[in-house]
Amino acid sequence: MTRLMHIGSVPIGGGSPVSVQSMTNTDTCDAEATLAQIRHLALLGCQVIRVSAYSLKAVEALRTITKESPLPVVADIHFDYRLAIGALEAGCAKVRVNPGNMGGEKGLTELSACLKAHKKPVRVGVNGGSLDKDLLEKYGLTGKALAESAMREVRLLETHGVEDIVISVKASDIRRTIDACEEIDRLCDYPQHIGITEAGTIETGRIKSAIGIGSLLLRGIGDTIRVSLSGDPSPEVTTAIDILRAVGLRKDYVEITSCPTCGRTGIDVESIAKKVREATKDINIPIHAAVMGCVVNGPGESKGADIGIAGGAPDSGVLFVNGESAGRVKGDLAGILIEGIFKIAYERGYKKQ
Ligand code: SF4
């Protein structure tokens, strides 16, 4: 198990739930625009937000941002340790740096002292673009090279007494990322922030991220995740949550199983499933519902769900509740399922927000 640490109020590692991160793409100097984006991402389910601190003016804006942000703020710093110190003093809950470019021994000593004084964690991030040249020559562009490079950075911090370290090793290549994260997992017990970097636009990036992040999570690797997509960060958050649900790490929702439909399909499975999903999306209680198109495979799946419908003739089917047939139903099948799901949710303690 990885070490437990905290990014503001969000626990990372030590068996804590895997948390969802994203990054703003507004100009950090525009505190209001950045805060508006953070609030929106928080509503979607983002738990930790990273913000680029690229100048003294941006660090100044972080004072306002950290004060009003509903999420702990991580400052992303490159090349200037004074910006990292400024971001920590401005209230950031963590900084993401590359210790090797923090101004040599002087910069690293001052930054380490600041991290320890504020008791805040630091993330060491290495990707294909920031690989040490000698490691690149020794191992080629491989996961091992990424992991070794990250561990060098980690050791730099350790020699300065810093212990709260989160590691991220990312590549845009899925295999390389998995190799690197597995190697880190073998070498140390620091929490890992995982993701596929520069995964692309939403169409392809979602799939690459789901495979890469999902594979790692299923291996028990990853304490916090970010889906990196070009453009609006909103889909990063929704995709991250979908990944956590798909691998079974988040169960606080209505999971809907629906069949792919075929020549036997008797009801409009797709539209029923979509209506049920939309109507129940705010329920934060684990419930399993099934929408199946016929009585061949339908009863089996429906019996395994808390509630399900197996279609028959158009607009009719058999309703199953807790694995038992509740009789034939006809008419608005989506409405019948939605009503049944809410009944189960209230029985299980759901309270409408
Ligand atoms: S459940 Fe029935 S309708 Fe749906 S895909 Fe299977 S056989 Fe076809």
Side-chain angles (χ1 to χ4, degrees):
M1 191 183 292
T2 53
R3 297 183 196 185
L4 173 68
M5 48 197 79
H6 289 81
I7 306 177
S9 58
V10 178
I12 302 288
S16 311
V18 176
S19 55
V20 172
Q21 298 199 24
S22 186
M23 188 166 181
T24 55
N25 65 356
T26 50
D27 182 352
T28 309
C29 294
D30 186 343
E32 278 318 307
T34 303
L35 277 165
Q37 192 168 61
I38 294 173
R39 290 186 189 108
H40 175 66
L41 295 172
L43 282 177
L44 293 176
C46 185
Q47 294 165 292
V48 175
I49 192 73
R50 185 153 56 108
V51 173
S52 179
Y54 62 87
S55 67
L56 280 175
K57 202 172 161 215
V59 167
E60 200 47 43
L62 280 173
R63 288 189 189 281
T64 308
I65 294 168
T66 55
K67 207 178 292 164
E68 296 180 29
S69 169
L71 305 177
V73 176
V74 179
D76 192 88
I77 318 280
H78 286 278
F79 306 119
D80 193 339
Y81 74 94
R82 288 162 302 185
L83 296 180
I85 291 172
L88 290 167
E89 288 174 348
C92 286
K94 185 174 89 169
V95 285
R96 185 269 193 202
V97 300
N98 184 342
N101 68 25
M102 281 289 113
E105 184 55 29
K106 178 181 182 315
L108 207 52
T109 303
E110 288 189 28
L111 174 58
S112 300
C114 184
L115 284 165
K116 288 184 282 182
H118 286 275
K119 294 189 170 52
K120 289 177 179 172
V122 56
R123 167 148 75 92
V124 171
V126 172
N127 59 36
S130 55
L131 251 183
D132 290 337
K133 281 202 177 60
D134 62 320
L135 291 173
L136 193 58
E137 276 166 23
K138 187 172 174 190
Y139 297 115
L141 189 50
T142 59
K144 182 139 181 86
L146 280 168
E148 286 273 322
S149 192
M151 289 310 294
R152 266 189 194 173
E153 306 283 323
V154 166
R155 282 181 208 115
L156 276 178
L157 287 165
E158 285 175 338
T159 56
H160 288 80
V162 177
E163 291 176 348
D164 283 355
I165 302 169
V166 179
I167 302 177
S168 67
V169 280
K170 297 180 179 177
S172 57
D173 178 83
I174 297 172
R175 184 74 257 173
R176 202 177 305 138
T177 304
I178 291 174
D179 288 348
C181 293
E182 284 187 322
E183 183 71 6
I184 292 289
D185 190 55
R186 272 192 292 273
L187 293 172
C188 66
D189 66 351
Y190 290 116
Q192 289 199 57
H193 170 76
I194 61 168
I196 303 297
T197 194
E198 294 132 19
T201 57
I202 186 164
E203 294 81 10
T204 52
R206 270 171 62 96
I207 292 179
K208 282 183 82 171
S209 299
I211 295 170
I213 295 172
S215 302
L216 283 164
L217 292 174
L218 287 169
R219 288 164 160 85
I221 297 173
D223 300 283
T224 160
I225 66 175
R226 183 202 174 186
V227 173
S228 302
L229 299 173
S230 305
D232 176 9
S234 305
E236 294 192 351
V237 177
T238 51
T239 303
I241 291 169
D242 284 344
I243 293 170
L244 291 173
R245 287 175 172 175
V247 297
L249 289 176
R250 284 247 181 129
K251 298 182 192 291
D252 54 344
Y253 74 111
V254 177
E255 180 184 359
I256 299 166
T257 303
S258 60
C259 81
T261 74
C262 71
R264 286 200 182 90
T265 310
I267 57 175
D268 188 346
V269 171
E270 184 187 7
S271 100
I272 293 170
K274 280 184 175 169
K275 278 184 198 164
V276 172
R277 184 176 303 283
E278 182 57 29
T280 61
K281 67 178 189 307
D282 292 329
I283 295 178
N284 56 0
I285 302 267
I287 293 175
H288 182 188
V291 185
M292 304 298 290
C294 76
V295 290
V296 174
N297 290 329
E301 273 294 338
S302 297
K303 277 182 181 169
D306 294 308
I307 184 166
I309 275 182
D315 297 330
S316 79
V318 178
L319 183 70
F320 290 85
V321 180
N322 295 327
E324 300 292 328
S325 169
R328 296 199 73 80
V329 285
K330 201 170 166 35
D332 177 11
L333 300 184
I336 292 166
L337 260 185
I338 292 165
E339 197 184 321
I341 290 169
F342 269 96
K343 189 164 176 283
I344 295 169
Y346 287 124
E347 282 167 5
R348 294 181 182 178
Y350 171 63
K351 289 186 177 57
K352 211 168 179 168
Q353 304 293 317

